[in-house]
Amino acid sequence: MNKILITGGAGYIGSHTAVELVKAGLEPIILDDLSNSNEKVLDRLEEILERKLTFYKGDCNDRSILDQISKDHKISGVIHFAAFKAVGESTEQPLKYYSNNIGSLLVLLDFMKENSISDLVFSSSCTVYGQPDVLPVTESTPRKDAESPYGNTKKICEDILVDYVKSKAGIRVIALRYFNPVGAHPSGKIGELPIGKPNNLVPFITQTAAGIREKLTVFGDDYDTPDGSCVRDFIHVMDLADAHVKAFTYLNDKPSGFYDVFNVGTGNGNTVLEVIHTFERVNDLKLNYEIGPRRAGDVVKIWADTKKINSVLGWKPSKTLEDSMRDSWNWQKGL
């Protein structure tokens, strides 16, 4: 059975991808330093899968932990999620983000080369597009200056991967540029578990509904959008996890030196207020929210053109925004 190293595998997207890898007959090996996740996730994964997964606690900037994993297992490929991801924090501590997010990729690539591991799926982001001039964005939409150091690390990492593949390093890479992951596993056993104040909309919604937060602030209702609030492409985390499995499988028959990028989104944009009202409707709840001032650096509207991933990888999202809001609340209620 092919063993796939998942860096950041106890995190939000990584844990859901681990479930889908097992369903596809692959064996995830999880590496996570638990700096933005919780060890309880591993128990929940065991409940969902009815078996334990192999877990190493460590930082993928630490070459020694990677060497230990390689000693213990023959790794067939890597899905690289591990990164700091709080946009606001990245503007306050840029060196922390550049050191960790770029440094870990460099360590990982060197490790892969020395151990003849050829396949890598890299976790990129729609932040590389900035505020696009034309919507929806395709994979050939020009990348713009990033709005944050976090976004810039994703651009730089993509550039590193392109240059490294061109150097005849003997690897095959797919970078997935995903939009806004939401939702949770339908069992309610795993989901998005932000440590401290959430950086994303949906955990703020669910924590407000649960009484953990007093109210939710919508940053601006005077943008050029259907209801004045920002537009995003919200993709269910289970669909996103499935895209990683399809990307990894797709690499299997590709030649050495292969590199490609794919958008992962629904192909539709929803406003922040639409998301709030959908959550209220499907869960029969009223949220305490207020309209606040615009937030500096916010992209006004962005959503994906998904024709490429639909046709090349044969991937399409199967879940709706209603599913995402229902699953998110189901997860929150079980905490």
Side-chain angles (χ1 to χ4, degrees), residues 142-207:
R143 298 182 312 164
K144 290 192 168 185
D145 288 345
E147 302 284 341
S148 68
Y150 162 74
N152 204 29
T153 66
K154 291 299 183 183
K155 279 182 67 179
I156 292 168
C157 285
E158 283 192 6
D159 292 341
I160 289 168
L161 289 169
V162 169
D163 288 341
Y164 192 55
V165 167
K166 284 180 183 171
S167 76
K168 298 184 170 54
I171 67 168
R172 308 179 287 200
V173 178
I174 286 177
L176 296 180
R177 293 173 178 164
Y178 30 91
F179 285 68
N180 292 68
V182 290
H185 191 271
S187 67
K189 294 182 185 298
I190 55 173
E192 188 168 8
L193 186 63
I195 293 174
K197 188 177 179 181
N199 292 294
N200 297 328
L201 171 64
V202 175
F204 247 112
I205 288 175
T206 59
Q207 289 186 11

Side-chain angles (χ1 to χ4, degrees), residues 14-266:
S15 59
H16 290 79
T17 300
V19 171
E20 293 303 290
L21 284 169
V22 172
K23 281 171 58 179
L26 299 164
E27 181 66 18
I29 308 294
I30 294 174
L31 172 63
D32 202 301
D33 68 358
L34 303 178
S35 63
N36 197 36
S37 53
N38 192 303
E39 205 156 358
K40 290 177 184 170
V41 169
L42 303 166
D43 297 330
R44 298 294 187 89
L45 286 172
E46 184 179 347
E47 290 175 29
I48 292 168
L49 297 168
E50 299 182 334
R51 47 159 293 201
K52 276 189 179 294
L53 293 182
T54 304
F55 169 69
Y56 290 82
K57 183 179 179 182
D59 185 337
C60 55
N61 282 285
D62 178 2
R63 179 59 188 269
S64 64
I65 190 77
L66 293 169
D67 289 338
Q68 184 61 53
I69 292 170
S70 181
K71 200 176 291 182
D72 296 343
H73 305 276
K74 180 169 175 48
I75 301 296
S76 301
V78 180
I79 301 178
H80 184 41
F81 292 109
F84 294 148
K85 61 178 186 176
V87 170
E89 183 187 58
S90 78
T91 63
E92 296 160 6
Q93 301 183 59
L95 296 187
K96 174 182 174 180
Y97 275 67
Y98 285 114
S99 174
N100 182 71
N101 293 7
I102 296 168
S104 63
L105 178 64
L106 296 176
V107 172
L108 189 63
L109 290 173
D110 187 60
F111 162 76
M112 290 177 65
K113 184 175 184 180
E114 285 194 19
N115 289 276
S116 302
I117 301 167
S118 60
D119 293 350
L120 173 66
V121 176
F122 175 69
S123 166
S124 192
S125 165
C126 68
T127 57
V128 301
Y129 297 119
Q131 176 59 68
D133 296 320
V134 178
L135 289 166
V137 292
T138 71
E139 289 79 0
S140 58
T141 295
R143 298 182 312 164
K144 290 192 168 185
D145 288 345
E147 302 284 341
S148 68
Y150 162 74
N152 204 29
T153 66
K154 291 299 183 183
K155 279 182 67 179
I156 292 168
C157 285
E158 283 192 6
D159 292 341
I160 289 168
L161 289 169
V162 169
D163 288 341
Y164 192 55
V165 167
K166 284 180 183 171
S167 76
K168 298 184 170 54
I171 67 168
R172 308 179 287 200
V173 178
I174 286 177
L176 296 180
R177 293 173 178 164
Y178 30 91
F179 285 68
N180 292 68
V182 290
H185 191 271
S187 67
K189 294 182 185 298
I190 55 173
E192 188 168 8
L193 186 63
I195 293 174
K197 188 177 179 181
N199 292 294
N200 297 328
L201 171 64
V202 175
F204 247 112
I205 288 175
T206 59
Q207 289 186 11
T208 302
I212 298 167
R213 307 271 159 201
E214 182 190 350
K215 62 187 172 187
L216 170 71
T217 300
V218 176
F219 298 109
D221 67 347
D222 57 351
Y223 289 107
D224 180 20
T225 64
D227 58 25
S229 61
C230 290
V231 174
R232 297 290 184 270
D233 188 335
F234 295 93
I235 174 78
H236 196 293
V237 68
M238 293 305 299
D239 284 330
L240 181 53
D242 179 52
H244 285 83
V245 177
K246 284 191 165 55
F248 190 83
T249 306
Y250 181 73
L251 280 176
N252 286 343
D253 61 354
K254 290 291 167 279
S256 177
F258 176 83
Y259 177 86
D260 209 348
V261 297
F262 294 91
N263 287 336
V264 191
T266 64

Side-chain angles (χ1 to χ4, degrees), residues 257-325:
F258 176 83
Y259 177 86
D260 209 348
V261 297
F262 294 91
N263 287 336
V264 191
T266 64
N268 298 301
N270 291 102
T271 68
V272 170
L273 287 170
E274 280 178 317
V275 174
I276 289 171
H277 297 324
T278 301
F279 180 87
E280 290 180 322
R281 188 178 73 252
V282 300
N283 296 306
D284 195 23
L285 289 165
K286 288 301 290 179
L287 282 171
N288 182 24
Y289 70 90
E290 65 178 7
I291 306 299
R294 294 184 179 193
R295 184 170 56 179
D298 267 349
V299 170
V300 179
K301 46 190 172 184
I302 186 168
W303 65 91
D305 183 310
T306 60
K307 291 189 191 75
K308 183 177 176 183
I309 193 170
N310 297 160
S311 60
V312 177
L313 298 190
W315 173 91
K316 286 186 177 173
S318 63
K319 295 183 179 290
T320 64
L321 184 62
E322 285 79 6
D323 294 328
S324 296
M325 295 303 101

